[in-house]
Structures are given as structure tokens and as C-alpha cells.
């Protein structure tokens, strides 16, 4: 049973602090080996992704995407007689978050034999976690999976202006008439797209960099910008928010913006009903007690490829997911959770033969996904799907690069949508003739990404890929065009 509020102490094999996706996976995988595992969660089991990020944001995006998909096909467009029903879309979003109840996810932990302690967990010494007045003592390991929180830049007036973060933006119960989005990354672009389709009349994206989506290929970022603007969203790059005022609670917010040399729009003020800040995240380590093991609060927990935190005597502290600062993506956090659990279990097996050997082998010598094959889909319109290195990253890594880019104009694309527009690109290590990166831009290209991921992770030679015949008439036939452009 979990510790009570009276200050009980309990000894378990592993304590996992944070029961978001990465923590859930690590805990369940460890429990599956027969270990006694407890997860500590201060808010909702399932974490940010389930209630305020991936799931609700995609639920908000999907109705508009479905309407546009129908409008893109003659014969279907004639059946579309209206716009997105905002109330119904928001209700569907709420169903996907279970009304912000974690009852189902807590039950999933129990089904997987993971104990749950509710409250804020803090390190109190080697292998010791405090939760209120209670203490959990871990025989083998403590895994930190506390994730990140939204970053509010030090802009005068911002903190007092009741800005939206991703939490307010994905939980809102009505579309604001006017919305300013501060930031130009995936969250900013996706939520700008979502709220415009849900009825927000004026949406303005303000990004201080010289383009949107700084971490994807420039051609992909340009396509996303064009897609936003085609849907009536104003985009200002090279512009910075310098002051925010909301004179009355619940009233309009005034956002003062200035442009750098070469920026757009000049100086001025934008009035809106809501301001969404999507300008980055910070690791949730500020009140975690990491100072007791010599680490700096507020900083990410640097780990090796197995998830073991560097610089902690005894090697008992591990971290997975966004709190490591490596790759802030749910699926990558789950991957890290699996790798971490396998490494912990493998280490324990050496000292305790009673621990099950169930589960796949894992070796830190194998190239990991988080360093060479990160995958991401940005659900704007058009979608952007990426894996591995960009051309610039590959060149910086010393790869002999050959880039192949083609239009997605195969039969499957034209059948999918009238006037289908898309682009596919491979970044090839020309010395080894293997794909090290891929980018797809177009309607629903996220469903094509895994084939590229397998090619990158498996280091499949292009001559071998030539024999991977895509079905006709699928959009994946673009792989033939890419290989032909390479010269095969």
C-alpha cells in the first residue's frame, strides 16, 4: 500500500517520479520484470501529453483537417455545407482527455502492477524520495520523469496579463475572436492552425527568428508559413514582443511588438482577446531536490544513452523524457523509458537472479533513436514529417551529403486530393549510400514517416531499398521517384 499522510516509510525496488508517458512506460516495463515499482505523480497520471498537449491539440486540429480533406476532393466537396462545428469539436476534445480525469490511466498503472503515490516527489538523499511527510526508499533506482513546464519569457507585463500556455489553449471552452501567438515552433503553428479553423477570426503569429520552425528544413518551414497565410493567419517573423498589457481582468490584451532589421511589420501594438505563449519549455527540476545529489535545480538532467544521470555517485539516479532536455517529444520519451527500464533491469539481474529476463535485449553500444533518428510530425496544413538529420546537420556532422528532393506527384497523391501539393526529400550519406534524414511535406504525410525511420535506423543501403516496392497507387510510391532522382 502507498505511504499514508502520517509519515510512513516504505522500501521498494524502484521509484519513478512522474507518471507521464515516459514515466508510465518505464514503471510498467520494470514492474513486468517482477520488480516492486511505485510511481509518484503530483497532478494527473498520463502527464502533459494526455491532457494538455499531444492528445487535445490533435483533437482540436482534426475537425478542420477533415473538412479541408473533403473540400479537396471533387464529389466530396459538394457535400460540405458548413464549417467546423466548434462546440462539437471542443466536446470531442474533452472526450479524448476523459474530462481531465486520470481514473483510466491510474487503473492502467494498477493493471500493470505499478503502485501509485499521489503528491510531489522530491529527492531527500541517495535512493530516497519524499512525498509530503512520507518517504520511499528505493533498493535499486530512482527514475525522474517530471517533464517540463511552459516558459514565460521576461517580457514586461506578460506574467500579469493572464497569458495562455499550451494548457489554457488546449483546454479553452470557446474560440477567442482574436488571438496572438508568441513563438514560431510546432506548438505555435499547430495551435494557430487549430483555433483559426475553430472560429477565431484574427490570428497573428509573432516569431523573433527569421523564419518559423527553425529546426526543420527551410523548404518545409516555408510551406507551413504559406499554409498559415492561406488560411488567413498573419505571420510576422523577425519580430519581438516587448511589452504586454491587460488593463482589465478578462478584457483585451495589448501586445507591443518591435521588428529587428529585416523583420516584418515594424513597431506597433496588436490588440487581442487572448495571447498564447509558445516560446519554449523548461525542465521541471526546480523543486525536485536535485541539489542533495550535487545537481543544479532548474537545469535538465543530463544522461547517457541508457538514461543514467551523469555525476551521481552510485549510479542509482536515472531520468527519461522531457526532463533530460534531449528531445521534447512524447514518443521519444517513451523510447527512453523502454531503454532505461531495460538497462536498470539488466543491471539488477547481475545481482539478483530472481528478476525476470523478460523483454528485448538492449545495449548502450547501439546507436539510439534520440541521437540519430528522432522522428516528428507537425500537424499543420500541410503536415511536416521528419526523421534523422537535416541537410545542414548532416554537413555539420561531417557527412558526405547528397540531397534528393522531388515533388510528391505520384498517382496516389492525385487520387488522395485534387491539386495535391507536396515535397519529399532524402539526405543521403553518399559515402555509405544510406539515408540519414528525410522530410515529407504535404497532406497527411505523417503516415509515410515510419518507412523512412526504418531506413534511417536500419541503415538500409539504397541498393536494397530499390527492392522495397511500394504498393500502387499509394502516396508512398514517391520512394521510387526519390531513388530514381538519386540515380537508381
Amino acid at each position: 500500500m502507498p505511504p499514508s499522510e502520517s509519515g510512513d516509510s516504505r522500501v521498494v525496488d524502484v521509484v519513478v517520479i512522474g507518471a507521464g508517458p515516459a514515466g508510465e512506460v518505464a514503471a510498467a516495463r520494470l514492474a513486468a520484470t517482477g520488480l516492486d515499482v511505485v510511481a509518484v505523480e503530483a497532478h494527473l497520471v498520463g502527464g502533459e501529453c494526455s491532457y494538455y498537449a499531444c492528445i487535445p491539440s490533435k483533437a482540436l486540429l482534426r475537425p478542420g483537417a477533415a473538412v479541408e480533406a473533403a473540400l479537396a476532393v471533387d464529389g466530396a466537396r459538394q457535400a460540405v455545407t458548413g464549417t467546423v462545428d466548434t462546440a462539437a469539436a471542443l466536446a470531442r476534445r474533452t472526450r479524448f482527455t476523459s474530462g481531465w480525469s486520470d481514473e483510466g490511466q491510474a487503473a492502467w498503472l494498477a493493471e500493470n502492477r505499478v503502485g501509485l503515490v499521489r503528491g510531489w516527489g522530491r529527492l531527500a538523499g541517495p535512493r530516497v524520495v519524499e512525498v509530503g511527510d512520507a518517504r520511499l526508499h528505493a533498493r535499486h533506482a530512482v527514475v525522474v520523469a517530471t517533464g517540463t513546464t511552459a516558459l514565460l519569457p521576461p517580457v514586461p507585463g506578460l506574467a500579469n496579463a493572464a497569458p495562455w500556455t499550451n494548457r489554457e489553449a488546449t483546454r479553452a471552452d470557446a474560440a477567442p475572436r482574436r488571438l496572438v501567438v508568441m513563438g514560431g515552433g510546432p506548438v505555435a503553428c499547430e495551435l494557430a492552425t487549430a483555433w483559426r479553423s475553430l472560429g477565431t477570426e484574427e490570428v497573428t503569429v509573432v516569431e523573433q527568428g527569421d523564419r518559423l520552425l527553425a529546426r526543420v528544413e527551410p523548404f518545409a518551414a516555408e510551406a507551413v508559413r504559406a499554409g498559415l497565410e492561406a488560411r488567413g493567419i498573419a505571420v510576422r517573423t523577425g519580430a519581438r514582443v516587448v511589452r504586454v498589457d491587460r488593463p482589465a481582468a478578462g478584457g483585451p490584451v495589448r501586445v507591443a511588438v518591435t521588428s529587428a532589421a529585416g523583420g516584418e511589420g515594424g513597431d506597433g501594438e496588436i490588440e487581442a482577446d487572448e495571447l498564447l505563449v509558445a516560446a519554449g519549455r523548461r525542465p521541471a527540476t526546480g523543486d525536485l531536490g536535485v541539489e542533495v545529489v550535487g545537481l543544479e535545480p532548474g537545469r535538465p538532467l543530463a544522461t547517457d544513452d541508457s538514461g543514467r544521470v551523469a555525476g551521481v555517485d552510485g549510479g542509482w539516479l536515472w531520468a527519461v523524457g522531457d526532463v533530460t532536455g534531449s528531445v521534447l517529444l512524447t514518443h521519444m520519451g517513451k523510447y527512453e523509458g523502454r531503454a532505461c527500464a531495460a538497462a536498470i533491469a539488466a543491471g539488477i539481474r547481475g545481482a539478483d537472479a530472481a528478476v525476470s529476463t523478460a523483454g528485448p535485449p538492449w545495449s548502450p553500444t547501439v546507436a539510439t533513436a534520440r541521437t540519430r533518428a528522432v522522428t516528428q510530425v507537425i500537424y499543420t496544413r500541410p503536415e511536416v514529417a521528419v526523421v534523422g538529420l537535416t541537410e545542414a546537420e548532416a554537413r555539420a556532422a561531417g557527412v558526405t551529403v547528397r540531397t534528393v528532393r522531388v515533388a510528391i506527384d505520384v498517382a496516389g497523391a492525385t487520387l488522395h486530393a485534387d491539386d495535391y501539393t507536396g515535397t519529399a526529400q532524402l539526405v543521403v550519406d553518399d559515402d555509405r549510400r544510406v539515408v540519414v534524414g528525410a522530410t515529407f511535406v504535404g497532406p497527411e504525410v505523417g503516415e509515410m514517416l515510419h518507412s523512412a525511420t526504418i531506413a534511417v535506423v536500419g541503415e538500409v543501403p539504397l541498393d536494397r531499398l530499390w527492392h522495397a516496392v511500394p504498393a500502387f497507387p499509394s502516396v508512398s510510391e514517391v520512394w521510387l521517384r526519390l531513388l530514381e532522382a538519386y540515380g537508381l
Side-chain angles (χ1 to χ4, degrees), residues 83-147:
T83 57
V84 172
D85 184 318
T86 303
L90 294 177
R92 182 174 184 266
R93 175 276 321 267
T94 300
R95 290 196 299 274
F96 270 100
T97 63
S98 301
W100 292 276
S101 166
D102 67 355
E103 181 179 349
Q105 301 229 44
W108 182 88
L109 283 182
E111 290 167 4
N112 284 273
R113 301 188 298 280
V114 176
L116 174 61
V117 176
R118 292 191 181 272
W120 184 256
R122 300 184 78 256
L123 298 175
R127 298 183 179 86
V128 179
V129 176
E130 286 184 342
V131 188
D133 294 331
R135 283 197 165 202
L136 295 167
H137 298 262
R139 294 186 186 93
H140 301 294
V142 174
V143 181
V144 177
T146 49

Side-chain angles (χ1 to χ4, degrees), residues 64-468:
V67 169
E68 288 194 24
L71 290 171
V73 179
D74 198 14
R77 72 170 60 95
Q78 288 80 359
V80 179
T81 57
T83 57
V84 172
D85 184 318
T86 303
L90 294 177
R92 182 174 184 266
R93 175 276 321 267
T94 300
R95 290 196 299 274
F96 270 100
T97 63
S98 301
W100 292 276
S101 166
D102 67 355
E103 181 179 349
Q105 301 229 44
W108 182 88
L109 283 182
E111 290 167 4
N112 284 273
R113 301 188 298 280
V114 176
L116 174 61
V117 176
R118 292 191 181 272
W120 184 256
R122 300 184 78 256
L123 298 175
R127 298 183 179 86
V128 179
V129 176
E130 286 184 342
V131 188
D133 294 331
R135 283 197 165 202
L136 295 167
H137 298 262
R139 294 186 186 93
H140 301 294
V142 174
V143 181
V144 177
T146 49
T148 59
T149 58
L151 174 67
L152 289 184
V155 173
L158 178 60
N160 296 323
W164 277 5
T165 66
N166 65 291
R167 290 197 169 195
E168 292 77 17
T170 55
R171 192 169 177 169
D173 57 9
R177 188 175 73 81
R178 302 165 300 176
L179 174 67
V180 171
V181 180
M182 182 178 172
V187 173
C189 293
E190 286 186 349
L191 289 175
T193 300
W195 282 110
R196 180 72 178 111
S197 70
L198 291 167
T200 298
E201 297 174 15
E202 299 175 16
V203 179
T204 304
V205 175
V206 180
E207 162 56 34
Q208 66 179 359
D210 59 2
R211 68 178 177 93
L212 303 176
L213 301 173
R215 296 183 179 180
V216 305
E217 298 283 10
F219 78 89
E222 291 167 7
V224 169
R225 176 171 185 155
L228 293 173
E229 292 176 335
R231 287 157 183 81
I233 297 170
V235 178
R236 289 185 59 179
T237 55
R240 185 166 55 91
V241 175
V242 294
R243 188 184 69 258
V244 178
D245 296 300
R246 194 189 292 264
V253 58
R254 295 196 294 263
V255 182
V257 178
T258 187
S259 296
E264 300 164 329
D267 297 346
E269 191 172 88
I270 308 170
E271 186 172 273
D273 299 289
E274 299 293 350
L275 167 64
L276 165 59
V277 180
R281 310 282 299 178
R282 58 184 175 189
T285 59
D287 189 27
L288 190 61
V290 295
E291 62 275 10
V292 304
V293 292
L295 301 178
E296 183 181 350
R299 301 288 298 170
L301 299 181
T303 71
D304 62 18
D305 285 344
S306 70
R308 194 190 301 267
V309 176
V312 177
D313 291 342
W316 55 271
L317 186 62
W318 305 70
V320 295
D322 292 3
V323 73
T324 68
S326 57
V327 184
L328 276 60
L329 295 165
T330 294
H331 47 280
M332 300 308 298
K334 290 182 175 182
Y335 168 80
E336 291 174 5
R338 295 194 298 271
C340 175
I344 292 172
I348 295 172
R349 281 197 294 268
D352 186 356
V355 176
S356 168
T357 58
W362 179 86
S363 168
T365 63
V366 176
T368 63
R370 74 174 189 168
T371 56
R372 295 180 58 182
V374 174
T375 58
Q376 183 175 20
V377 179
I378 302 169
Y379 291 89
T380 44
R381 295 194 282 278
E383 283 185 2
V384 176
V386 299
V387 60
L389 304 177
T390 63
E391 180 179 357
E393 289 169 342
R395 294 190 188 282
V399 175
T400 302
V401 171
R402 183 172 172 190
T403 301
V404 179
R405 187 186 304 170
V406 300
I408 304 177
D409 58 2
V410 295
T414 58
L415 289 167
H416 181 88
D418 302 339
D419 301 319
Y420 186 107
T421 301
T423 305
Q425 175 181 288
L426 299 182
V427 178
V428 178
D429 180 335
D430 212 28
D431 289 337
R432 297 187 299 140
R433 290 169 69 87
V434 298
V435 180
V436 295
T439 299
F440 301 93
V441 179
E444 300 183 34
V445 293
E447 297 305 322
M448 300 204 328
L449 184 61
H450 200 56
S451 55
T453 302
I454 293 169
V456 172
V457 172
E459 299 182 332
V460 183
L462 293 179
D463 293 329
R464 175 62 61 182
L465 282 178
W466 190 85
H467 296 281

